[in-house]
Amino acid sequence: MTGKLGNLINKMVMARFKSFLLISLLFGLSMFTSSAQTDDFYAQYEKFSKHAKAEYEDYRAQCNAEYVKFLERAWKEYKVLPSIPRPKDEVVPPTIMPRQDKNKKQAKEIPIENIVSPILSLPQPKPISPIYENDKVEEKNFSFSYMGTTCEVRLPKDLNIRMSGCESCMIATIWKQLATNAMDNTIRDFLALRLKMQLCDWAYLNLIDTFAKAFCGHGNEAVIMAAFIYSQSGYKMRLGRDCEKLYLLYGSKHGIYEKGYIVIEGINYYPLDDKVERMEISDFSFPQEQSMSLYIENAQKFTIRPSAKRKLASEQYHDVTIDSQVNLNLIQFYNTYPSSEVNGNFMTRWKMYADTPMDESVSQMLYPDIKNKIEGLSDVQAVNQILNWVQTAFQYEYDDKVWGHDRAFFAEETLYYPYCDCEDRAILFTRLVRDLLGLKCILVYYPGHLASAVCLKQQVNGDYISLDGDVYTICDPTYIGAPVGITMPEMDNRSAKVIKLL
């Protein structure tokens, strides 16, 4: 049944496209027609627009009507699969470079064992058909806070969701109640918040969940409210139930660590809340629904709640002392972020952290100061100063000791927390070099250790990696005191795995 719906929407979209093309051509010719003819064209276009709008609304209503039928009868039991364990690697401790070794650089090429390439991202999901502003419904404004940021959406004035159980007919009745044009402005407001706050998919889902719990409480009503808005926004979602409890399951191609999941048609579905071993699921797919991506392509825009300032000083370059301050609301969001991998490759998780843009409030404070310190220097000199700052301004500690498990940091987290390890330093270093100097970087992985390499504009003696016609010189933020071009001992005789960065 859902396949037929998918074919139907393709035919409808193509038909509307041809009609719009015809109307556009007519308008293109209207400059050569009389005023009366032009008015007629406008009248025809207005009539067509109203008809197209009605067709879009009818199509979405049809999809939701089909979904209601599935909720009433089509539930299948699934067993939740065991979670993907966090990668546990051997740990290579930080090393201090002897002073006499700093001038022992040789031009040595490091062989590449494997490459993690950039994954092409899709535009964020969108509704299955345009959702128009509805000026015919009585509404009320509802305010809630997400990550310290006040948000407001419009709701139907008489909206009142009450569920006395988790039976199929009850769930179907509530969905039918929500799936009316009265909720259009609510969905539009959420999509507008996603755009205004530059929210990634994970943040958008949690924004909706936060609203639903603020408006409905923490019961099944909140689950079905969040599921409705999320699905109408274009995301893959399934409703599950276990006895008297309802679950929202979000679809993602990422393998999320330490979270049980269910596989449906090759897509992992994860319960948003709670752990559960078995549940019934209504497996209905809306046309053109998309999986959630855990990549963060834009800096999230949360209200700024500044942390205390932190003074970070380089040991070698005494004038490179930088004041750092981060947004605590962003740190709170990063604490909710699920660590994951793509295509079963654990190295892809570092790419997600390293390619996330620096928060604007941090870069506006941090970057001018660093730029002032490296002004007038060559690329090699500037990279050396940034490298030594990352090597010596931060205190190293093992994740197992601090967090009890492996945990990678976004760049802002390394600037905030008192301890960090090799992967955190490599992520921060490559973020700074790309932003401040515009130089291409890669991450370089050896078992138990993550370093980096920079594509310098000038030739420099030292260890390097050849990739796509470019030469990347090794820069190791955990080999304390080592300048550009020197690999940490015991790593120089190993082949490296390379992670390309944007």
Side-chain angles (χ1 to χ4, degrees):
M1 186 173 295
T2 56
K4 292 180 180 178
L5 281 175
N7 293 331
L8 175 63
I9 189 170
N10 289 333
K11 291 179 181 178
M12 291 175 65
V13 169
M14 183 57 67
R16 289 180 192 126
F17 173 75
K18 290 178 179 177
S19 298
F20 272 118
L21 182 61
L22 176 60
I23 292 293
S24 299
L25 287 172
L26 289 172
F27 270 99
L29 296 174
S30 66
M31 67 179 69
F32 302 108
T33 65
S34 65
S35 176
Q37 288 176 310
T38 302
D39 290 343
D40 185 51
F41 281 131
Y42 275 109
Q44 290 181 45
Y45 183 76
E46 184 67 23
K47 181 179 179 180
F48 172 79
S49 296
K50 289 180 179 179
H51 179 68
K53 176 182 176 182
E55 280 193 337
Y56 280 130
E57 291 173 346
D58 289 345
Y59 179 71
R60 191 160 60 90
Q62 181 184 353
C63 291
N64 280 301
E66 294 291 346
Y67 185 49
V68 168
K69 290 180 183 178
F70 265 70
L71 291 174
E72 289 174 337
R73 66 175 187 269
W75 293 76
K76 180 181 176 182
E77 186 168 337
Y78 286 84
K79 183 178 180 181
V80 178
L81 298 175
S83 61
I84 302 169
R86 289 179 186 267
K88 191 169 181 62
D89 204 355
E90 61 181 281
V91 179
V92 177
T95 303
I96 299 176
M97 182 179 186
R99 290 183 179 274
Q100 63 271 21
D101 290 348
K102 289 188 177 183
N103 297 318
K104 294 183 178 180
K105 290 194 294 183
Q106 296 180 348
K108 175 186 174 184
E109 182 171 4
I110 298 173
I112 298 174
E113 180 180 334
N114 191 15
I115 298 173
V116 175
S117 298
I119 297 173
L120 296 177
S121 60
L122 297 172
Q124 284 189 300
K126 58 184 179 181
I128 57 176
S129 62
I131 299 177
Y132 297 93
E133 186 75 16
N134 187 345
D135 57 2
K136 297 179 181 179
V137 61
E138 288 189 59
E139 294 176 322
K140 57 186 176 183
N141 292 336
F142 184 80
S143 295
F144 63 101
S145 178
Y146 175 63
M147 295 300 158
T149 305
T150 300
C151 305
E152 186 175 272
V153 297
R154 292 168 290 175
L155 293 171
K157 195 171 185 179
D158 58 353
L159 182 63
N160 185 23
I161 300 175
R162 290 290 181 268
M163 296 183 69
S164 57
C166 212
E167 296 81 11
S168 299
C169 60
M170 173 65 68
I171 299 170
T173 298
I174 297 299
W175 195 276
K176 191 173 182 180
Q177 177 186 343
L178 291 170
T180 67
N181 291 344
M183 288 291 291
D184 285 358
N185 291 343
T186 305
I187 300 167
R188 286 175 60 88
D189 287 349
F190 273 101
L191 292 170
L193 283 170
R194 185 179 72 174
L195 181 63
K196 177 183 177 182
M197 298 170 69
Q198 299 185 167
L199 300 180
C200 64
D201 290 348
W202 176 252
Y204 185 63
L205 172 58
N206 283 274
L207 171 81
I208 294 171
D209 182 58
T210 300
F211 152 77
K213 289 173 179 173
F215 180 70
C216 302
H218 288 253
N220 290 336
E221 294 88 351
V223 175
I224 198 167
M225 171 66 87
F228 174 75
I229 297 171
Y230 189 62
S231 67
Q232 302 303 294
S233 299
Y235 289 89
K236 283 185 181 292
M237 180 282 307
R238 298 293 182 268
L239 275 175
R241 65 183 178 189
D242 173 25
C243 297
E244 295 297 313
K245 186 170 177 56
L246 202 60
Y247 298 91
L248 185 163
L249 294 95
Y250 56 90
S252 179
K253 293 182 180 178
H254 294 247
I256 299 176
Y257 299 135
E258 298 185 343
K259 192 169 182 64
Y261 63 100
I262 292 166
V263 178
I264 303 175
E265 296 181 352
I267 300 296
N268 294 352
Y269 284 85
Y270 298 89
L272 181 57
D273 290 321
D274 302 326
K275 292 183 178 180
V276 61
E277 295 182 357
R278 190 179 296 273
M279 70 173 71
E280 289 184 325
I281 294 176
S282 178
D283 183 16
F284 178 93
S285 57
F286 283 93
Q288 298 180 330
E289 61 181 12
Q290 286 183 214
S291 299
M292 167 197 285
S293 170
L294 285 170
Y295 284 98
I296 304 176
E297 296 188 6
N298 299 295
Q300 310 296 280
K301 289 184 175 291
F302 301 128
T303 297
I304 297 174
R305 181 164 61 96
S307 67
K309 285 186 178 181
R310 184 182 181 193
K311 194 172 290 294
L312 299 163
S314 165
E315 287 185 3
Q316 182 174 340
Y317 303 97
H318 300 297
D319 62 329
V320 183
T321 300
I322 310 296
D323 286 331
S324 171
Q325 192 172 42
V326 302
N327 184 359
L328 292 175
N329 289 328
L330 180 65
I331 297 299
Q332 180 186 352
F333 167 69
Y334 285 156
N335 279 329
T336 73
Y337 179 83
S339 184
S340 68
E341 63 188 31
V342 179
N343 298 329
N345 189 333
F346 71 93
M347 290 190 296
T348 56
R349 76 189 194 274
W350 292 315
K351 177 173 173 53
M352 291 179 233
Y353 290 86
D355 278 340
T356 297
M358 183 74 81
D359 180 59
E360 291 177 11
S361 67
V362 176
S363 61
Q364 287 172 3
M365 177 182 182
L366 193 72
Y367 287 5
D369 203 5
I370 299 179
K371 283 181 178 179
N372 183 54
K373 309 293 186 186
I374 62 176
E375 186 177 4
L377 300 180
S378 68
D379 285 341
V380 175
Q381 291 171 325
V383 170
N384 266 323
Q385 291 210 8
I386 295 172
L387 180 62
N388 187 264
W389 182 70
V390 176
Q391 288 172 344
T392 59
F394 302 89
Q395 187 170 344
Y396 187 98
E397 190 53 87
Y398 300 107
D399 280 344
D400 282 347
K401 183 175 179 180
V402 178
W403 301 100
H405 55 76
D406 177 75
R407 172 172 172 169
F409 280 169
F410 293 96
E412 298 89 344
E413 292 182 293
T414 301
L415 294 169
Y416 174 71
Y417 290 113
Y419 306 108
C420 61
D421 64 7
C422 64
E423 60 190 8
D424 309 324
R425 293 172 179 226
I427 289 167
L428 174 62
F429 172 73
T430 54
R431 180 76 273 160
L432 294 174
V433 170
R434 283 176 289 168
D435 288 353
L436 293 167
L437 299 173
L439 300 176
K440 292 189 291 186
C441 297
I442 57 175
L443 296 176
V444 183
Y445 172 70
Y446 307 94
H449 183 59
L450 191 68
S452 56
V454 178
C455 183
L456 297 162
K457 294 177 182 177
Q458 57 196 110
Q459 188 174 1
V460 59
N461 197 32
D463 300 336
Y464 67 93
I465 289 174
S466 295
L467 182 66
D468 298 333
D470 290 319
V471 174
Y472 290 81
T473 304
I474 292 294
C475 300
D476 195 329
T478 312
Y479 191 15
I480 313 301
V484 168
I486 298 185
T487 306
M488 185 183 288
E490 299 183 6
M491 303 294 149
D492 57 1
N493 59 352
R494 304 187 193 185
S495 58
K497 296 179 174 68
V498 168
I499 302 166
K500 292 184 180 180
L501 301 179
L502 297 177

